Amino acid sequence: MERISKTNYYLDIAQTVASRSTCLRRMYGAIIVKNDVIVSTGYCGAPRGRENCCDLGYCLREKMNIPRGERYEMCRAVHSEANAIIAAPRELMLGATLYQACIDGATGELAENIDSCQMCKKLMINAGIETVVYRNTPTEYRVARVEDWITDDDSMGKIGY
């Protein structure tokens, strides 16, 4: 039996966390890991105490035909990266890696070529996260260096979610 790589092990956990997401469009899950210890997890969902889209039975952004990557202020959810950062002490995020996976809400399949939105990239920069690993397939992934988002300001313009 071939042993799973450590990166795919963490991405499997992020994908499981994504299954808790309450978003009807895209179910994201994130985990922050430092020194082989899971520091925190986060998934997309409405702020505590507010109704989730899955409970309401609709997505306002979808109802309004808002394209992916636009008008996040209309979204009920707090993004997975933000929830993971909120749940972690900053000293444990310095130099850490954030692993992220996404399940397409319509198909239930793994979403490929995911990226973080501009706001979440800013949060990861300020949190001190060093690397982000995005799952593309059950065995393939893309690695982003957060430092590149600082030195290449154009990278912040990419559309996520």
Side-chain angles (χ1 to χ4, degrees):
M1 180 173 103
E2 189 175 327
R3 191 171 181 204
I4 189 171
S5 73
K6 186 135 322 179
T7 299
N8 278 306
Y9 166 73
Y10 289 130
L11 287 168
D12 285 349
I13 295 170
Q15 190 169 334
T16 298
V17 171
S19 68
R20 286 280 306 150
S21 177
T22 62
C23 179
L24 297 172
R25 277 184 161 187
R26 292 215 162 193
M27 302 166 64
Y28 278 85
I31 66 169
I32 298 173
V33 177
K34 184 172 181 179
N35 298 327
D36 274 340
V37 174
I38 297 173
V39 173
S40 69
T41 68
Y43 54 86
C44 290
R48 287 187 173 102
R50 296 195 66 200
E51 286 188 282
N52 292 293
C53 292
C54 65
D55 299 324
L56 294 170
Y58 67 91
C59 167
L60 182 60
R61 290 178 67 230
E62 192 137 304
K63 231 179 181 182
M64 296 175 70
N65 292 317
I66 297 171
R68 188 173 154 229
E70 296 180 17
R71 304 283 319 266
Y72 287 124
E73 73 276 9
M74 302 301 291
C75 181
R76 293 187 72 79
V78 177
H79 290 174
S80 63
E81 305 97 317
N83 275 324
I85 289 168
I86 290 165
R90 185 166 194 278
E91 65 271 10
L92 293 181
M93 290 187 287
L94 296 172
T97 299
L98 186 142
Y99 295 85
Q100 188 170 51
C102 176
I103 301 165
D104 185 292
T107 66
E109 299 294 321
L110 193 61
E112 295 184 23
N113 303 314
I114 62 172
D115 203 4
S116 299
C117 74
Q118 291 180 36
M119 186 59 78
C120 286
K121 285 181 177 183
K122 292 174 191 176
L123 291 172
M124 288 186 273
I125 289 168
N126 276 5
I129 291 169
E130 187 173 288
T131 308
V132 182
V133 181
Y134 297 104
R135 173 163 264 177
N136 284 328
T137 71
T139 58
E140 297 171 344
Y141 52 87
R142 176 175 56 87
V143 178
R145 289 186 38 222
V146 173
E147 176 69 26
D148 293 342
W149 300 339
I150 298 168
T151 58
D152 178 12
D153 273 343
D154 290 341
S155 69
M156 296 297 285
K158 291 182 181 173
I159 294 175
Y161 277 80

